[in-house]
Amino acid sequence: DFLTGILIADGRVTKRDLLKSSSWLFLSAIIYLVISWPTTDNGLSGLALNNDAIIISIILFITWISAIFIAKKVIPKLSQQTNKRLFVTISIVVNLTILAFFKYFNFFIDSAEQLIQSFGGDAALFHLNIILPVGISFYTFQTISYSIDIYRGKTNATHKFLDFALFVSYFPQLVAGPIERASNLMPRIIQKRQINLEQIKRGLTLIAWGLFKKVAIADGLAGSVNSIYNTTGNVSAPDIVLATFFFAFQIYCDFSAYSDIARGTSKLLGIELMRNFNLPYFAKDPSEFWRRWHISLSSWLKDYVYIPLGGNKKGTFITYRNLMLTMLLGGLWHGAAWNYILWGAYQGIILSIHRIFSSDAKVEQSSINSTLKIVLFFSITCYGWLLFRANSFEQISTFSSSLIYGWDDLSLSMKRPTLAAFLGLPILIMYECCEYKMQNIRFYKAIPTPFLALLLAIIFLIIFMGMSHPPAQFIYFQF
């Protein structure tokens, strides 16, 4: 992507650029593939060479040199615009191929298992024992946007490989976002950074707030949610409703907490990251929800999938087709499982339904209380989270049936949330209600200092209470 960015911008690559990128490529191959690092405590004495990896590295070298030779022959014969289209296409295809191979190969084999068996084959033979690279979903979309933005003229290509490498692998947001654009993050990396006391205070505040949401609330609700969604027996409708309600807050607190901690850590380094969540559960419709939830992904899908497909400019049928394709891709991005695809389809359907009725219902809905709209759409969102969290289609079917017909049993078998979650969730809801009402992200500055100090003391106390319970992995680490 470093090289394709230069080729898209300049139409040619200098020997210096080739040397830099090739050196890093083969140095990485030697460090990560050829050398077998010891897994014991015997220091460097356990170092060895991986013979298979040596062969792979030689093949990689031959392929790389061949690609450069072909490129040098082909590029001069093509027009500038054709060159740009060629290399942006190469960037997209190569990135998506790598993502599909590592993340979805086994999923497709599992899905085609019956077909393979019908021809007398064994699906297990096709499975690859591969490890998912850390953060692949996030940095793949980030590097694709880099190439496309250069092609569109929205950002410049960098000739400094380390600047590009830092943009791709910037550690605070590498494993769970936000998905940054080169036009936003690259200048902040390249330019001289100023770190002042106010920036440090805001960074530490974001980190503390993120820890509060993750350690106290998300981890405190995880056990309750798991006690229902991980069960193999029958559960009551109230159990399902309450567990799904808790999961809505678990996934929000878990994911937005990571974004807060990433943004806070980045502020301490003098780099601003975009806000990834903006009070999503105050949305009144699906369109507003996706302007508030995982903003970096939803805006990415809009700019690089929905609009290139034609957006809403090519007629009604094409518009709804584009909505469905975009949300199906968004669902598939979350993981190699059919329930994520079903969740994406659900989001596409409610977006389409909202688009159909929004223009006609605008006048009619203007008199409906805003709070009722928020509550109604939050209920619709929660059913989507049921699809997202469910372990199988069978569980989706069973839980959906119970929500309709299972109200004769009102017993609760769900594990109770921790005390940290029980105390922290009302504080979070009240805080976000105040922020929503005042439409000011820093409304807390108007709170008298003694009350603010008391609030911070309570938050830290609840964080320490939450630390006494078993931690849960960040949900979005698996994506």
Side-chain angles (χ1 to χ4, degrees):
D1 284 313
F2 169 72
L3 288 178
T4 53
I6 296 171
L7 286 164
I8 293 165
D10 302 342
R12 65 184 184 86
V13 168
T14 64
K15 290 182 180 179
R16 183 182 177 85
D17 292 326
L18 281 173
L19 181 63
K20 282 189 295 186
S21 59
S22 300
S23 300
W24 282 106
L25 177 69
F26 292 114
L27 181 62
S28 301
I30 292 169
I31 292 173
Y32 294 110
L33 297 177
V34 174
I35 299 176
S36 294
W37 296 92
T39 55
T40 59
D41 295 330
N42 58 359
L44 297 180
S45 60
L47 285 177
L49 296 182
N50 186 330
N51 293 328
D52 292 338
I54 293 174
I55 296 171
I56 293 172
S57 299
I58 293 171
I59 294 172
L60 183 66
F61 176 78
I62 295 171
T63 304
W64 185 252
I65 296 300
S66 301
I68 292 172
F69 177 78
I70 294 170
K72 281 185 169 292
K73 293 289 184 180
V74 171
I75 290 172
K77 299 178 181 179
L78 302 175
S79 67
Q80 186 177 12
Q81 190 59 30
T82 303
N83 270 336
K84 288 185 175 184
R85 283 199 298 268
L86 171 65
F87 290 111
V88 77
T89 302
I90 289 172
S91 174
I92 294 169
V93 170
V94 171
N95 274 296
L96 292 181
T97 301
I98 293 171
L99 180 64
F101 173 77
F102 279 101
K103 192 169 181 178
Y104 301 108
F105 184 86
N106 287 340
F107 169 65
F108 291 131
I109 293 299
D110 287 336
S111 301
E113 185 172 1
Q114 289 186 341
L115 180 63
I116 293 171
Q117 289 175 348
S118 67
F119 286 99
D122 183 4
L125 296 175
F126 292 91
H127 273 272
L128 300 176
N129 295 317
I130 53 179
I131 299 173
L132 192 66
V134 173
I136 188 170
S137 295
F138 290 90
Y139 69 69
T140 298
F141 275 20
Q142 198 155 295
T143 51
I144 287 175
S145 71
Y146 171 77
S147 302
I148 295 176
D149 283 352
I150 294 172
Y151 177 76
R152 292 175 175 175
K154 291 184 177 181
T155 192
N156 297 320
T158 178
H159 286 260
K160 295 183 178 180
F161 182 76
L162 285 179
D163 286 343
F164 175 76
L166 181 56
F167 160 70
V168 176
S169 59
Y170 184 53
F171 79 91
Q173 44 85 237
L174 174 65
V175 287
I179 303 168
E180 284 287 351
R181 311 287 179 89
S183 55
N184 177 52
L185 185 55
M186 193 74 80
R188 298 178 189 277
I189 289 173
I190 295 171
Q191 295 167 4
K192 186 177 180 180
R193 294 181 289 281
Q194 299 290 334
I195 303 174
N196 52 47
L197 182 60
E198 178 62 23
Q199 198 171 20
I200 293 172
K201 284 165 59 179
R202 286 174 57 196
L204 292 175
T205 301
L206 274 171
I207 292 171
W209 187 240
L211 286 172
F212 171 69
K213 288 194 285 187
K214 169 60 178 169
V215 175
I217 302 176
D219 289 0
L221 295 174
S224 302
V225 174
N226 293 340
S227 68
I228 299 302
Y229 276 93
N230 290 353
T231 185
T232 55
N234 293 325
V235 293
S236 66
D239 271 330
I240 298 168
V241 170
L242 206 52
T244 306
F245 173 80
F246 283 160
F247 179 69
F249 280 96
Q250 180 199 356
I251 193 170
Y252 167 60
C253 289
D254 190 283
F255 193 15
S256 65
Y258 182 91
S259 294
D260 289 342
I261 295 168
R263 290 176 62 218
T265 305
S266 194
K267 282 180 185 293
L268 301 182
L269 303 173
I271 294 177
E272 293 285 334
L273 298 180
M274 68 177 292
R275 187 180 183 187
N276 210 17
F277 292 86
N278 182 18
L279 310 176
Y281 291 149
F282 288 89
K284 304 179 189 70
D285 57 65
S287 180
E288 184 183 359
F289 176 79
W290 284 106
R291 292 195 299 271
R292 293 175 176 272
W293 176 275
H294 201 351
I295 300 168
S296 63
L297 174 65
S298 56
S299 61
W300 195 99
L301 291 171
K302 177 186 174 184
D303 292 344
Y304 301 109
V305 179
Y306 179 70
I307 291 176
L309 285 172
N312 59 357
K313 305 295 185 184
K314 296 186 177 181
T316 305
F317 174 78
I318 298 297
T319 298
Y320 295 127
R321 182 207 68 178
N322 295 344
L323 279 173
M324 288 301 300
L325 288 175
T326 301
M327 297 317 298
L328 283 170
L329 178 62
L332 186 62
W333 176 88
H334 280 84
W338 284 106
N339 67 303
Y340 296 129
I341 297 174
L342 182 60
W343 175 77
Y346 176 78
Q347 296 297 330
I349 289 168
I350 61 176
L351 276 167
S352 299
I353 292 173
H354 171 258
R355 187 173 184 86
I356 291 169
F357 292 103
S358 60
S359 57
D360 297 333
K362 191 173 291 183
V363 176
E364 180 186 340
Q365 288 183 356
S366 61
S367 61
I368 300 175
N369 188 283
S370 177
T371 304
L372 292 178
K373 295 181 190 176
I374 292 171
V375 171
L376 175 62
F377 185 70
F378 178 69
S379 303
I380 295 171
T381 302
C382 281
Y383 184 73
W385 290 134
L386 185 153
L387 304 177
F388 190 93
R389 178 60 180 82
N391 296 319
S392 63
F393 280 148
E394 183 182 358
Q395 189 176 66
I396 291 172
S397 175
T398 302
F399 280 16
S400 299
S401 178
S402 296
L403 289 175
I404 299 172
Y405 304 110
W407 290 94
D408 52 332
D409 178 13
L410 300 180
S411 62
L412 284 173
S413 59
M414 184 181 67
K415 180 181 176 182
R416 284 187 295 181
T418 64
L419 182 58
F422 183 78
L423 296 174
L425 191 55
I427 293 175
L428 173 73
I429 293 172
M430 286 189 292
Y431 181 91
E432 295 205 343
C433 283
C434 292
E435 183 182 335
Y436 179 76
K437 187 171 181 61
M438 297 182 184
Q439 295 296 306
N440 182 2
I441 193 173
R442 297 192 186 94
F443 75 92
Y444 57 83
K445 288 191 172 183
I447 300 175
T449 303
F451 290 104
L452 187 59
L454 178 62
L455 177 62
L456 287 172
I458 293 171
I459 286 173
F460 277 109
L461 176 62
I462 295 173
I463 290 173
F464 288 127
M465 290 170 61
M467 289 171 63
S468 65
H469 303 293
Q473 187 188 55
F474 280 101
I475 293 172
Y476 267 68
F477 277 11
Q478 65 185 296
F479 306 137

